[in-house]
């Protein structure tokens, strides 16, 4: 069964793995001591088979007297060895005593001692004692190794003393047993020292491997989350590594792995090849600003920094590590920093403007009481209207700076927006250049009326600036889109450049030098404050004609427009 485990951060596409049953999954590699334990178990089984076959063959050929007890002992030893191999697991290295030592070393010493004492012919089984001595020395502690060697030495000395009584040769038998026992002591000490060193080196290797794996995971995570693109190429222009950021910058397909691409395979990447070539030729870091042509109408402006990794040995090659940064992203971050500074400054300026503005409004009110001339009264009314407008702007700036929750009204979109559009049309003398298309059914939007006015003024000012002078060059329409109230401001201006579209709603971004670049940003901020969404698209005109134009749409939070009695709801404070 296939199961989706997550997203591959390296290539940006989903990764699928197969749910494998537990018995079929690959087991982890055994440690060196586990392999040694398995080796000793196999040696014990091999010793049991050899003894059984050897004694059985000698007895069948008549070279030695038939002794069923020895054959039974060898068969029992073989069965015990097989059982230990199947049912036991390796004990922790260096332990002085463990119950499994009885089933391995104890059985070995007992079986070999019995064969040594009850043999019917003059066969020497003393070399077999090397197996339990080595097992204890390698897999056990030094105390267990010396204890096993001492036990084997006592068995050999006892056997030599018994044989010397029977043959009357005390010196040679005991000397041979003593030398063999001393040899086992030496073997036990040397093997135990080697096993201790192996355990120490294995522990150091495990710690080093764990640290290297952890460091590799950290490096991979850091590289994958870098906002700058990272590209690693060799002298043959083969791409060795690429993080998701560089894939997004250069427009790679999800199925294209770095190993299947070369830096020289795309014509638009030639400037990158030139920078990498300078890095290889000079051996020095390089820095440059490049323009890559990724498509017929798309150019990517990059800041590129390179570093050279020298070859580690004769078989390796130098690699060029390239750091790619989108200049537009850098400019966006700079604009964000400027916005933060401007925000702090605007809040301070708003505080300073509020008091003089209040004084102007109060003085104008007092002056209006003394005016009789209609022209002067009209000028006073104009001052009053604009001071109120400035006061509202100051309040909006302070609201955004303080992150206060905006006041929200439930507005019927046509009733709220169309008078504002008509007023703007009259003030800007748009005339027939502006067409109104109200919705066919009431659409209720959760929004502040003054904020809606500011959004409409910004969008209509932009539309008037770039639209033609033909009739219905700008269309304002309202409707219900997928059950939500929508306001559209469409104009027949030229298509926006893809690079402009990407940064359209960012602060301080404008295609005109005299513009502050804050209009669309303020629209987006006001929409987000009310839970609305503003977007741009190239689409046909809302009046049903086939004209293509720039369409700015605002989708509002909406509620039902009719109460159970059937009467439309009025404007309700949320």
């Amino acid at each position: 069964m296939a199961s989706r485990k997550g997203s591959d951060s390296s290539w940006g596409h989903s990764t699928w793995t197969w749910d494998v049953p537990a018995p079929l999954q690959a087991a982890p590699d055994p440690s060196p001591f586990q392999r040694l334990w398995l080796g000793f178990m196999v040696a014990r089984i091999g010793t049991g088979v050899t003894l059984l076959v050897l004694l059985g063959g000698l007895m069948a050929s008549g070279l030695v007297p038939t002794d069923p007890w020895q054959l039974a002992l060898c068969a029992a030893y073989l069965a015990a060895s097989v059982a230990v191999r199947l049912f036991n697991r390796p004990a922790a290295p260096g332990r002085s005593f463990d119950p499994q030592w009885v089933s391995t070393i104890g059985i070995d010493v007992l079986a070999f001692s019995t064969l040594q004492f009850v043999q019917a012919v003059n066969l020497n089984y003393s070399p077999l004692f090397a197996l339990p001595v080595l097992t204890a020395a390698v897999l056990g502690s030094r105390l267990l190794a010396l204890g096993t060697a001492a036990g084997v030495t006592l068995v050999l000395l006892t056997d030599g003393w018994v044989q010397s009584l029977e043959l009357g040769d005390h010196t040679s038998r005991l000397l041979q047993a003593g030398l063999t026992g001393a040899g086992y002591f030496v073997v036990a000490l040397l093997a135990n020292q080697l096993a201790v060193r192996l355990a120490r080196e294995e522990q150091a290797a495990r710690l080093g491997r764990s640290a290297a794996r952890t460091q590799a995971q950290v490096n991979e995570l850091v590289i994958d989350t870098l906002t700058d693109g990272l590209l690693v190429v060799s002298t043959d222009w083969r791409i060795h590594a690429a993080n998701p950021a560089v894939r997004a910058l250069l427009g790679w397909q999800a199925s294209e792995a770095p190993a299947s691409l070369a830096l020289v395979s795309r014509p638009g990447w030639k400037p990158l090849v030139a920078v990498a070539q300078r890095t290889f030729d000079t051996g020095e870091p390089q820095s440059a600003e490049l323009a890559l042509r990724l498509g017929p109408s798309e150019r990517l402006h990059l800041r590129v920094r390179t570093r050279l990794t020298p070859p580690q040995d004769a078989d390796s090659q130098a690699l060029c590590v390239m750091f790619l940064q989108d200049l537009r992203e850098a400019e966006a971050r700079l604009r964000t920093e400027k916005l933060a500074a401007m925000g702090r400054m605007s809040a301070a300026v708003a505080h300073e403007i509020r008091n003089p503005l209040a004084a102007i409004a109060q003085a104008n009110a007092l002056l209006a009481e003394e005016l009789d001339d209609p022209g002067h009264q009209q000028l006073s009314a104009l001052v009053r209207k604009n001071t109120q407008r400035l006061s509202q702007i100051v309040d909006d700036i302070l609201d955004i700076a303080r992150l206060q929750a905006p006041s929200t009204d439930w507005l019927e979109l046509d009733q709220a927006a169309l008078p504002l559009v008509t007023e703007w049309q009259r003030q800007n003398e748009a005339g027939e250049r502006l067409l109104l298309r109200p919705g066919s059914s009431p659409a209720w939007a959760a929004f502040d009326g003054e904020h809606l006015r500011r959004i409409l003024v910004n969008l209509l000012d932009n539309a008037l600036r770039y639209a033609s002078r033909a009739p219905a060059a700008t269309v304002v329409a309202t409707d219900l889109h997928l059950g939500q109230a929508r306001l559209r401001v469409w104009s027949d201006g030229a298509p926006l450049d893809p690079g402009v579209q990407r940064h359209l709603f960012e602060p301080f971004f404008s295609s005109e030098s005299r513009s502050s670049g804050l209009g669309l940003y303020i629209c987006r901020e006001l929409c987000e404050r009310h839970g609305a969404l503003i977007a741009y698209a190239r689409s046909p005109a809302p009046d049903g004609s086939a004209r293509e134009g720039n369409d700015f749409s605002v989708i509002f939070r909406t509620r039902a427009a009719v109460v159970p009695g059937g009467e439309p709801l009025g404007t309700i404070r949320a």
Side-chain angles (χ1 to χ4, degrees):
M1 179 188 304
S3 64
R4 191 169 184 170
K5 302 295 290 183
S7 295
D8 186 344
S9 60
S10 298
W11 311 126
H13 59 277
S14 300
T15 301
W16 293 82
T17 59
W18 292 94
D19 294 331
V20 183
L24 300 180
Q25 291 179 351
D29 294 335
S31 67
F33 279 96
Q34 289 176 322
R35 293 195 294 269
L36 286 172
W37 183 88
L38 293 174
F40 281 119
M41 296 305 106
V42 172
R44 295 179 73 238
I45 295 174
T47 301
V49 172
T50 301
L51 288 174
L52 190 61
V53 172
L54 180 61
L55 288 178
L58 291 176
M59 292 180 184
S61 62
L63 297 178
V64 298
T66 301
D67 188 354
W69 292 105
Q70 293 191 48
L71 292 177
L73 178 61
C74 293
Y77 174 74
L78 177 59
S81 300
V82 173
V84 170
R85 171 62 183 84
L86 294 178
F87 301 109
N88 274 12
R89 290 295 177 266
R95 296 177 62 174
S96 298
F97 180 77
D98 189 270
Q100 82 160 8
W101 299 134
V102 177
S103 61
T104 54
I105 299 172
I107 290 179
D108 288 349
V109 174
L110 179 62
F112 299 155
S113 300
T114 304
L115 289 174
Q116 184 73 13
F117 282 112
V118 302
Q119 58 179 320
V121 294
N122 190 20
L123 291 178
N124 185 13
Y125 292 96
S126 58
L128 297 178
F129 288 106
L131 182 59
V133 171
L134 286 174
T135 303
V138 173
L139 301 180
S141 64
R142 181 180 301 178
L143 181 62
L144 181 62
L146 294 178
T148 304
V152 170
T153 302
L154 289 176
V155 170
L156 294 177
L157 289 174
T158 303
D159 179 64
W161 177 69
V162 171
Q163 290 188 16
S164 66
L165 291 178
E166 295 176 355
L167 302 176
D169 184 6
H170 299 280
T171 304
S172 60
R173 293 290 180 177
L174 291 176
L175 179 60
Q176 183 179 0
L179 290 176
T180 304
Y184 283 138
F185 271 102
V186 174
V187 169
L189 286 173
L190 292 177
N192 184 259
Q193 289 296 321
L194 292 175
V196 170
R197 177 173 295 182
L198 175 63
R200 187 164 55 246
E201 292 179 354
E202 180 193 9
Q203 180 67 16
R206 185 182 296 110
L207 293 176
R209 186 168 57 251
S210 177
R213 187 181 299 114
T214 302
Q215 187 63 42
Q217 292 174 348
V218 171
N219 292 342
E220 182 179 356
L221 180 62
V222 170
I223 290 173
D224 286 346
T225 55
L226 278 176
T227 56
D228 292 349
L230 180 67
L231 196 64
V232 181
V233 297
S234 56
T235 53
D236 58 358
W237 307 119
R238 186 163 55 93
I239 299 176
H240 288 256
N243 68 340
V246 83
R247 293 177 65 88
L249 282 175
L250 300 181
W252 288 11
Q253 300 297 325
S255 59
E256 294 178 325
S260 64
L261 290 175
L263 197 61
V264 295
S265 62
R266 302 288 176 86
W269 296 353
K270 288 183 179 179
L272 292 177
V273 175
V275 175
Q277 185 64 60
R278 288 201 303 270
T279 305
F280 286 125
D281 292 342
T282 63
E284 298 293 334
Q286 301 292 322
S287 180
E289 292 186 0
L290 308 177
L292 306 185
R293 184 177 295 276
L294 302 182
S297 60
E298 184 178 2
R299 294 177 66 87
L300 178 63
H301 296 271
L302 296 174
R303 178 180 291 115
V304 181
R305 294 175 292 112
T306 64
R307 295 292 186 274
L308 193 64
T309 62
Q312 301 298 321
D313 49 52
D315 297 328
S316 63
Q317 56 181 335
L319 298 175
C320 178
V321 182
M322 310 183 72
F323 300 91
L324 280 61
Q325 183 183 26
D326 190 347
L327 287 178
R328 290 171 297 188
E329 296 296 335
E331 293 171 358
R333 285 195 292 269
L334 180 60
R335 286 193 295 270
T336 302
E337 294 174 359
K338 289 168 60 178
L339 175 64
M342 289 292 293
R344 293 189 294 268
M345 184 186 71
S346 62
V349 171
H351 279 291
E352 297 298 327
I353 290 177
R354 171 174 284 181
N355 292 333
L357 194 60
I360 294 173
Q362 185 177 8
N364 181 69
L366 294 175
L367 182 61
E369 297 176 357
E370 305 295 333
L371 296 177
D372 296 326
D373 184 83
H376 292 169
Q377 290 178 353
Q378 185 178 3
L379 291 176
S380 176
L382 182 62
V383 171
R384 182 179 67 254
K385 181 179 179 181
N386 283 279
T387 53
Q388 291 173 351
R389 191 169 181 177
L390 285 175
S391 179
Q392 182 63 46
I393 292 175
V394 168
D395 291 339
D396 290 341
I397 292 175
L398 292 177
D399 284 345
I400 294 176
R402 296 167 182 169
L403 295 178
Q404 295 176 352
S407 60
T408 301
D409 297 331
W410 284 108
L411 307 174
E412 204 288 311
L413 197 53
D414 286 342
Q415 297 177 6
L418 297 186
L420 298 175
V421 176
T422 303
E423 179 186 357
W424 179 90
Q425 182 181 25
R426 184 178 61 255
Q427 291 178 353
N428 291 272
E429 300 179 352
E432 294 183 353
R433 295 176 62 192
L434 178 63
L435 176 65
L436 298 179
R437 297 282 296 183
S440 58
S441 59
W444 293 86
F447 218 82
D448 179 78
E450 178 60 23
H451 288 174
L452 179 62
R453 186 194 64 79
R454 293 184 63 185
I455 290 176
L456 274 171
V457 168
N458 273 319
L459 294 180
L460 289 170
D461 285 345
N462 283 341
L464 183 65
R465 184 180 302 116
Y466 297 107
S468 68
R469 304 192 64 84
T474 302
V475 181
V476 178
T478 60
D479 60 1
L480 281 173
H481 177 70
L482 300 178
Q484 291 183 295
R486 181 174 65 168
L487 171 67
R488 300 174 62 187
V489 177
W490 180 94
S491 64
D492 63 355
L496 298 182
D497 184 83
V500 174
Q501 293 183 33
R502 183 179 302 180
H503 304 284
L504 202 56
F505 296 97
E506 294 179 0
F508 302 108
F509 178 81
S510 176
S511 58
E512 292 189 357
S513 59
R514 292 183 296 176
S515 175
S516 65
L518 288 174
L520 290 177
Y521 169 74
I522 292 175
C523 292
R524 188 194 70 179
E525 288 296 312
L526 293 176
C527 288
E528 290 181 352
R529 297 287 298 278
H530 293 275
L533 175 66
I534 185 171
Y536 163 81
R538 185 76 178 172
S539 64
D543 59 359
S545 63
R547 298 176 299 162
E548 289 286 328
N550 300 316
D551 188 0
F552 287 87
S553 61
V554 181
I555 299 178
F556 303 89
R557 289 192 296 119
T558 310
R559 65 172 172 81
V562 179
V563 297
E567 295 297 329
L569 295 175
T571 301
I572 301 174
R573 177 71 63 181

